[in-house]
Amino acid sequence: MKAPPTRKKRKIPRSATPAMWKMASGLLWVLAFLQFGSYFNQDVVLGERYKEMGLLWRIFHLHMLSFVTRMKYYGAWSLTDGACTLSGIGYKGLDPKTGKPNWDRLINIRPMGVEFAQNSHAYLGNWNMNTNHWLRNYMYLRVTPKGKKPGFRASMATFVTSAFWHGFYPGYYLTFVLASFIQNVAKNSRRLLRPFFLTPNGKPLPRKRYYDLATWLITQLTFSFCTAPFILPSIHDSLLVWSRVYFYCPVGVALCSLFLASPGKAWLTKKAKAHAGAKPQLGRSDSTESLRGTTLGVPSEPGREFDEMVDEIMVEVKKRRGSRAGPEGVELRRRVEATLQEKTGGVGKEL
């Protein structure tokens, strides 16, 4: 694959054009925030007029308050991403599919990924991405016992840590603790319901479009409710706004949690397995259900990451040894894998 033209002794391609595009998108988000912020803000949902609106209008205003608040973050992070791109530190190498330069090394937000997310995994995975990477690597995975999959306790510990990192406003803890319950319910509900909208070989049925629409709407309205205390960090204001929409999110989460703890879960699981027949091997799509690259710090292609690490080690070894011969890349990989298998009891084979 031929690299794009660069100046003499320049190690990365020219970055002015992609940086300007990111700057333009950031400025558009900032302008949108300034425009809509006067219509959807804290004063509206805390005012007396808000109580006189119908329930659907109140939910709509709460959602728009969350959306407009996100606009300023979209703007700020897009501008900083553009600055990183312009300086060159945002260069991630060539895209293996298109062969074009990839400038997403330090990207922190994917606005469309958040706004069109159909589940909590996609919503959270596209928001504050670099912080999510750190939380997954140093909290979510570390508090999980060896040999077990992360569960509710790992999610709760991660969200509480995130709340503590943000500060000591009580609203932060309301948001992140509720989010841990939401993520647990969403993950289990998706496993139980999604198979009914797929064929046994994993292909979407015609009715899956309604499932996608419903999950998108539920995801957006759920997180609009959940993040309200983050915008209104005091306990009084947060509970006041929640009460004005009748606590629809905690009520829904509680009902779903009760169902998941009841015999109904086993019954629905049996129905889902009967519908699917043999367990299908589902492929990943480019929709909002699956995220590109890493999700909360885990690489999508660990084998390729390992090969790149071996190549870097080889370069460093040759520099240190000078002209002395050393093992080639394939041989070095074989030796490393053999060592990993001895120390981890075969886990290294997965690489």
Side-chain angles (χ1 to χ4, degrees):
M1 184 181 298
K2 187 178 179 181
T6 60
R7 294 179 182 176
K8 188 177 181 181
K9 296 183 179 181
R10 185 183 177 94
K11 295 183 179 180
I12 62 172
R14 298 179 180 88
S15 58
T17 300
M20 292 302 105
W21 279 111
K22 292 182 179 183
M23 181 189 73
S25 66
L27 291 176
L28 286 175
W29 282 117
V30 171
L31 290 174
F33 169 72
L34 295 175
Q35 179 66 30
F36 291 101
S38 59
Y39 299 101
F40 304 99
N41 51 58
Q42 300 180 29
D43 295 335
V44 173
V45 296
L46 292 173
E48 293 298 319
R49 183 171 172 270
Y50 184 68
K51 293 193 300 182
E52 300 173 0
M53 298 179 183
L55 177 60
L56 294 180
W57 272 111
R58 276 177 275 166
I59 294 175
F60 171 75
H61 272 267
L62 184 61
H63 171 70
M64 289 303 297
L65 171 64
S66 177
F67 177 45
V68 171
T69 302
R70 289 195 297 272
M71 287 179 180
K72 64 181 179 182
Y73 292 99
Y74 294 157
W77 278 329
S78 296
L79 290 173
T80 54
D81 186 25
C84 292
T85 298
L86 187 63
S87 67
I89 61 176
Y91 182 54
K92 196 178 179 180
L94 298 179
D95 190 306
K97 293 183 178 180
T98 64
K100 296 181 179 180
N102 186 333
W103 300 98
D104 293 344
R105 182 183 181 187
L106 297 178
I107 191 172
N108 204 41
I109 189 71
R110 296 187 189 277
M112 295 302 103
V114 174
E115 300 306 326
F116 292 99
Q118 297 172 9
N119 52 68
S120 61
H121 180 264
Y123 193 101
L124 298 173
N126 283 297
W127 175 266
N128 203 359
M129 296 161 66
N130 293 311
T131 300
N132 284 337
H133 293 171
W134 186 91
L135 286 171
R136 180 178 180 93
N137 289 333
Y138 296 101
M139 280 302 302
Y140 187 69
L141 297 178
R142 286 200 175 190
V143 299
T144 303
K146 187 177 181 180
K148 295 185 178 181
K149 293 183 179 180
F152 173 71
R153 285 183 293 181
S155 297
M156 177 65 77
T158 304
F159 280 111
V160 170
T161 301
S162 183
F164 181 78
W165 179 82
H166 279 85
F168 296 99
Y169 285 109
Y172 296 163
Y173 295 86
L174 284 178
T175 290
F176 287 108
V177 170
L178 178 58
S180 65
F181 286 95
I182 291 171
Q183 188 179 46
N184 183 62
V185 167
K187 178 175 62 176
N188 286 282
S189 299
R190 186 172 186 269
R191 289 174 181 172
L192 292 172
L193 297 176
R194 192 167 181 266
F196 292 104
F197 300 89
L198 302 173
T199 62
N201 62 354
K203 300 293 183 180
L205 293 169
R207 62 175 179 265
K208 188 176 181 293
R209 69 188 69 176
Y210 304 109
Y211 169 84
D212 292 340
L213 179 62
T215 52
W216 168 77
L217 184 62
I218 292 171
T219 298
Q220 297 302 320
L221 295 183
T222 296
F223 278 100
S224 295
F225 181 98
C226 179
T227 55
F230 201 90
I231 304 169
L232 311 163
S234 74
I235 287 286
H236 176 269
D237 291 347
S238 300
L239 295 180
L240 176 63
V241 172
W242 277 6
S243 67
R244 289 179 173 180
V245 290
Y246 302 111
F247 296 94
Y248 69 82
C249 180
V251 170
V253 169
L255 292 176
C256 291
S257 298
L258 288 174
F259 177 82
L260 293 173
S262 72
K265 179 181 179 181
W267 173 80
L268 194 58
T269 301
K270 185 178 179 180
K271 289 287 186 181
K273 289 182 178 179
H275 173 80
K279 187 176 181 180
Q281 298 294 325
L282 300 181
R284 291 192 176 273
S285 65
D286 292 330
S287 68
T288 54
E289 296 171 357
S290 58
L291 304 177
R292 296 175 292 176
T294 60
T295 303
L296 300 178
V298 176
S300 58
E301 299 180 66
R304 184 168 63 85
E305 298 273 342
F306 183 77
D307 289 336
E308 292 176 356
M309 180 185 70
V310 170
D311 292 339
E312 292 177 2
I313 294 174
M314 282 296 302
V315 172
E316 186 65 25
V317 168
K318 288 180 179 179
K319 286 182 180 179
R320 293 178 179 274
R321 289 191 174 185
S323 59
R324 287 186 295 172
E328 295 298 327
V330 176
E331 176 63 18
L332 179 59
R333 177 189 172 98
R334 187 188 65 77
R335 294 184 186 182
V336 172
E337 287 181 344
T339 303
L340 287 175
Q341 290 176 26
E342 291 176 1
K343 293 185 176 182
T344 62
V347 177
K349 294 179 181 179
E350 297 178 359
L351 296 173

